[in-house]
């Protein structure tokens, strides 16, 4: 009891998912997915894997912070009843705000957490851009971009640019600097 296993669904289909993560998802319950809007989630559902998604929580709130807090609180309450698995897109520790909230709350509530990684978007990006992060890499959050955080002498990746407003803010910040 009082345990949450967090797994990453990876960046694509179940073909890219580690075998251990696939087996865990196929053989565990209860199972919660941050969203059903992911290629691997759709394929797992087609294979008969049953899960509860939090897509309705996104529709209920008009700001992400409230969404993340509700998801984390719900998972903690469910974990107090029985061990569970929580699956997120990509890798659980790469640009996944619900996991950060969940880890903080789990520590406070004395809920054990185990993390199994999945492939993040970074792996595919390094391949597509043909860059090695060891040469110098700065990864920044586009939703919280500050001019002073930008390092132009290294590779620069700005993530979380998911709509026109965020893209516009990123553009203005970059224009100030460059």
């Amino acid at each position: 009891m009082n345990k949450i296993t967090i797994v990453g669904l990876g960046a694509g289909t179940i073909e890219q998912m580690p075998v251990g993560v696939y087996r865990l998802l196929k053989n565990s319950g209860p199972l919660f997915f941050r969203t059903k809007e992911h290629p691997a989630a759709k394929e797992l559902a087609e294979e008969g894997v049953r899960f509860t998604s939090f897509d309705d929580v996104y529709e209920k709130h008009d700001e992400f912070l409230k969404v993340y807090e509700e998801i984390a609180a719900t998972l903690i309450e469910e974990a107090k009843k029985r061990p569970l698995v929580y699956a997120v897109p990509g890798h659980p520790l790469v640009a996944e705000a619900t996991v950060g909230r969940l880890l903080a709350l789990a520590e406070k509530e004395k809920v054990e957490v185990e993390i199994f990684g999945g492939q993040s978007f970074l792996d595919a990006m390094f391949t597509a851009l043909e860059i090695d992060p060891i040469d110098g890499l700065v990864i920044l959050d586009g939703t919280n971009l500050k001019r002073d955080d930008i390092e132009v002498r290294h590779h620069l990746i700005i993530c979380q640019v998911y709509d026109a407003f965020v893209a516009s803010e990123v553009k203005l910040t970059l224009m100030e600097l460059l």
Side-chain angles (χ1 to χ4, degrees):
M1 270 227 207
N2 290 356
K3 181 177 180 184
I4 300 174
T5 302
I6 306 173
V7 299
L9 294 172
T13 67
I14 59 175
E15 296 300 321
Q16 299 168 328
M17 186 180 293
V19 173
V21 170
Y22 176 76
R23 287 182 181 148
L24 177 71
L25 293 169
K26 289 281 288 187
N27 300 311
S28 66
L31 187 56
F32 294 85
F33 280 31
R34 182 172 61 79
T35 181
K36 65 182 183 236
E37 300 303 321
H38 185 280
K42 291 176 182 177
E43 290 173 323
L44 288 163
E46 289 170 4
E47 290 187 11
V49 175
R50 292 180 174 215
F51 57 85
T52 302
S53 81
F54 288 105
D55 292 297
D56 61 322
V57 177
Y58 282 89
E59 295 170 17
K60 186 164 85 172
H61 298 288
D62 49 344
E63 59 183 81
F64 286 122
L65 181 59
K66 290 179 182 176
V67 171
Y68 305 149
E69 289 173 350
E70 182 174 334
I71 291 172
T74 300
L75 290 167
I76 292 295
E77 289 308 309
E78 289 295 321
K80 289 179 179 178
K81 299 173 195 170
R82 62 201 188 274
L84 62 88
V85 175
Y86 176 52
V88 297
H91 188 286
L93 297 175
V94 177
E96 189 55 53
T98 61
V99 173
R101 295 259 180 247
L102 184 55
L103 290 172
L105 192 54
E107 183 177 347
K108 180 180 167 192
E109 296 288 330
K110 307 288 188 252
V111 172
E112 180 185 349
V113 175
E114 185 175 17
I115 297 176
F116 289 98
Q119 185 182 40
S120 78
F121 69 94
L122 296 172
D123 301 287
M125 184 183 58
F126 296 147
T127 301
L129 297 175
E130 297 180 355
I131 62 171
D132 185 346
I134 198 76
D135 295 333
L137 173 67
V138 177
I139 302 173
L140 298 173
D141 179 351
T143 64
N144 191 28
L145 187 63
K146 306 224 179 351
R147 182 179 169 206
D148 293 340
D149 295 337
I150 299 171
E151 170 61 60
V152 294
R153 293 177 298 171
H154 297 102
H155 300 294
L156 174 63
I157 307 297
I158 302 172
C159 306
Q160 305 294 74
V161 183
Y162 49 77
D163 64 20
F165 177 77
V166 175
S168 176
E169 292 296 312
V170 167
K171 175 183 148 189
L172 292 173
T173 303
L174 289 172
M175 287 176 63
E176 285 177 23
L177 180 69
L178 304 172

